[in-house]
C-alpha cells in the first residue's frame, strides 16, 4: 500500500483509537488466528463473560475493526453493565493498526474507480470483498465460537463504526437474521455514491411485499457525530446519512430503532461512547432508551 493510500484510508478508518497491546490472560481474554482456507487469516479476540451461561447461552457483541474496538469494549464492559456479554473482536494479525488494505476490501461493495474522485494518479484500493468476509463470519467464525463457549443465537449484536457501520447496514439489509441487534456509528453512507441507499430501498420494498413487518424483532441503534472537520469531509459525509436511515427503519413494525445525534463528538472521539452504547444494547437495553441517554 502506498503512503498516499494510507493517508486517504484514515478518512474512512477510526482515526483516534487504534490501541496497541493485548489484554492479559488474567482478564479472561484469548486471542487466536483463523482463516477460511484461502489467503490471510483474521485475528480474533474473545473475552468470556462472567458467571455461568444462562440456559440459552451468553449474549455476545461482535466488534468489527477489532484491533481498535475490542480493547475499548473490554475496558468499558463492567461500567456499561455488560459483564455477562461475550466480546468478540474481529481484526487482523498485529498489535497496532489494522491492515487498511484488507479493511477496504472486506468492508465495502465493489466500488467504481471514479467514485474515489481525484486521486492524483493513485490507484484506488481493492474493494468488493464483503461477501467473502461475511461468509467467513457466518460459516467459519460462528461455529468456532460456538465450539468454545455457549452463545445464544438469538442474542447476537453487531457493532461497526464508519466503514464497519456501512457493512453493518449491508448485513441488516441483506441477511438480517445474522444478528438480533445492530449498533452502527457514523455509517459511511457516502461510500460508492451512496449505493447503500439502493440496498435500503430494496430492503424496505421487500418488507412491504412480505406484509410490511420485520420477520422477527430487531433492535437497531444508529449514531452520528457532529462531523466537525475540513469542509470537504463535511460535504462528503453530510445528509442523507444515518438520521434518514434510522427514520426509515423506525417506520417498520417489528423494528425498535434508536437514533443518537452526537453533536459534540467527532468521527474519532465518538468511539468510546458508542462502544459503551453497543455494550448496553448487547446486554438487553432498548435502543430507544440508550438513544435518550
Amino acid at each position: 500500500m502506498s503512503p498516499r493510500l494510507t493517508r486517504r484510508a484514515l478518512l474512512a478508518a477510526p482515526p483516534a483509537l487504534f490501541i496497541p497491546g493485548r489484554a492479559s490472560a488474567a482478564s479472561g481474554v484469548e486471542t487466536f488466528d483463523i482463516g477460511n482456507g484461502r489467503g490471510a487469516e483474521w485475528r480474533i479476540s474473545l473475552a468470556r463473560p462472567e458467571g455461568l451461561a444462562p440456559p440459552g447461552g451468553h449474549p455476545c457483541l461482535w466488534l468489527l475493526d477489532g484491533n481498535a474496538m475490542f480493547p475499548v469494549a473490554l475496558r468499558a464492559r463492567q461500567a456499561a453493565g455488560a459483564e455477562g456479554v461475550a466480546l468478540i473482536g474481529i481484526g487482523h494479525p498485529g498489535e497496532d493498526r489494522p491492515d487498511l488494505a484488507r479493511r477496504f476490501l472486506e468492508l465495502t461493495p465493489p466500488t467504481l474507480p471514479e467514485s474515489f474522485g481525484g486521486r492524483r494518479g493513485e490507484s484506488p484500493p481493492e474493494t468488493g470483498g464483503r461477501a467473502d468476509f461475511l461468509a467467513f463470519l457466518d460459516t467459519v467464525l460462528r461455529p468456532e465460537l460456538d465450539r468454545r463457549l455457549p452463545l445464544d443465537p438469538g442474542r447476537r449484536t453487531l457493532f461497526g463504526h464508519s466503514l464497519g457501520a456501512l457493512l453493518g447496514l449491508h448485513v441488516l439489509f441483506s441477511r438480517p437474521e445474522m444478528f438480533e441487534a445492530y449498533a452502527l456509528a457514523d455509517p459511511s453512507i457516502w461510500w460508492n455514491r451512496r449505493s447503500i441507499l439502493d440496498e435500503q430501498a430494496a430492503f424496505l420494498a421487500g418488507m412491504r411485499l412480505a406484509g410490511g413487518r420485520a420477520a422477527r424483532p430487531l433492535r437497531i441503534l444508529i449514531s452520528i457525530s457532529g462531523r466537525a472537520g475540513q469542509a470537504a469531509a463535511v460535504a462528503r459525509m453530510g445528509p442523507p446519512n444515518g438520521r434518514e436511515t434510522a427514520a426509515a427503519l423506525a417506520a417498520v413494525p417489528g423494528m425498535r430503532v434508536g437514533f443518537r445525534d452526537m453533536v459534540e463528538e467527532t468521527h474519532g472521539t465518538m468511539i468510546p461512547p458508542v462502544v459503551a452504547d453497543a455494550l448496553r444494547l448487547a446486554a438487553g437495553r432498548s435502543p430507544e432508551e440508550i438513544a435518550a441517554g
Side-chain angles (χ1 to χ4, degrees):
M1 182 188 304
S2 72
R4 290 181 182 177
L5 177 54
T6 299
R7 289 194 297 272
R8 281 187 173 273
L10 292 176
L11 294 176
L17 283 167
F18 292 102
I19 301 171
R22 277 189 268 177
S24 68
S27 65
V29 172
E30 59 180 301
T31 61
F32 57 94
D33 293 346
I34 185 172
N36 58 8
R38 304 185 305 276
E41 296 182 326
W42 286 267
R43 170 67 49 83
I44 306 302
S45 301
L46 172 62
R48 294 174 179 270
E50 295 182 6
L52 297 175
H58 297 290
C60 58
L61 174 61
W62 295 44
L63 298 124
L64 301 175
D65 290 317
N67 301 69
M69 304 303 174
F70 181 83
V72 181
L74 186 62
R75 288 197 299 270
R77 181 166 63 169
Q78 183 173 5
E83 299 95 328
V85 175
L87 305 181
I88 299 142
I90 303 108
H92 304 122
E95 305 266 354
D96 195 354
R97 294 179 180 273
D99 184 326
L100 292 176
R102 287 185 64 186
R103 187 173 187 269
F104 270 118
L105 176 64
E106 293 163 3
L107 301 182
T108 62
T111 304
L112 295 172
E114 54 265 33
S115 298
F116 290 89
R119 298 180 59 87
R120 300 179 182 178
E122 298 174 32
S123 297
E126 187 178 0
T127 61
R130 66 184 184 184
D132 286 342
F133 180 53
L134 291 179
F136 161 75
L137 295 182
D138 194 34
T139 65
V140 179
L141 181 57
R142 182 177 54 80
E144 176 62 22
L145 294 170
D146 289 338
R147 187 184 69 80
R148 289 173 181 256
L149 75 167
L151 296 173
D152 187 341
R155 296 188 65 190
R156 285 196 295 259
T157 299
L158 178 66
F159 170 78
H161 170 260
S162 192
L163 284 179
L166 178 69
L167 181 75
L169 286 176
H170 169 67
V171 176
L172 174 62
F173 297 149
S174 63
R175 50 180 82 181
E177 71 284 350
M178 277 188 70
F179 297 91
E180 178 268 332
Y182 295 79
L184 308 176
D186 259 358
S188 298
I189 289 175
W190 55 271
W191 185 268
N192 195 34
R193 300 183 177 179
R194 296 185 168 88
S195 63
I196 192 65
L197 296 182
D198 295 331
E199 296 184 45
Q200 176 181 310
F203 170 75
L204 294 173
M207 195 76 66
R208 288 191 293 271
L209 289 174
R213 186 177 186 86
R216 67 166 186 164
L218 295 172
R219 295 179 299 131
I220 302 158
L221 177 64
I222 296 177
S223 305
I224 63 172
S225 67
R227 309 196 191 284
Q230 297 180 350
V234 172
R236 183 182 70 246
M237 297 172 68
N241 53 38
R243 182 190 304 275
E244 292 81 6
T245 292
L249 295 175
V252 178
M255 288 191 176
R256 302 192 64 177
V257 181
F259 173 74
R260 286 194 70 184
D261 188 355
M262 306 177 77
V263 295
E264 300 301 321
E265 304 290 351
T266 68
H267 191 62
T269 65
M270 77 184 306
I271 291 174
V274 295
V275 169
D277 286 345
L279 287 162
R280 297 183 185 100
L281 189 69
R285 291 182 60 182
S286 75
E288 300 95 331
E289 180 186 5
I290 296 169

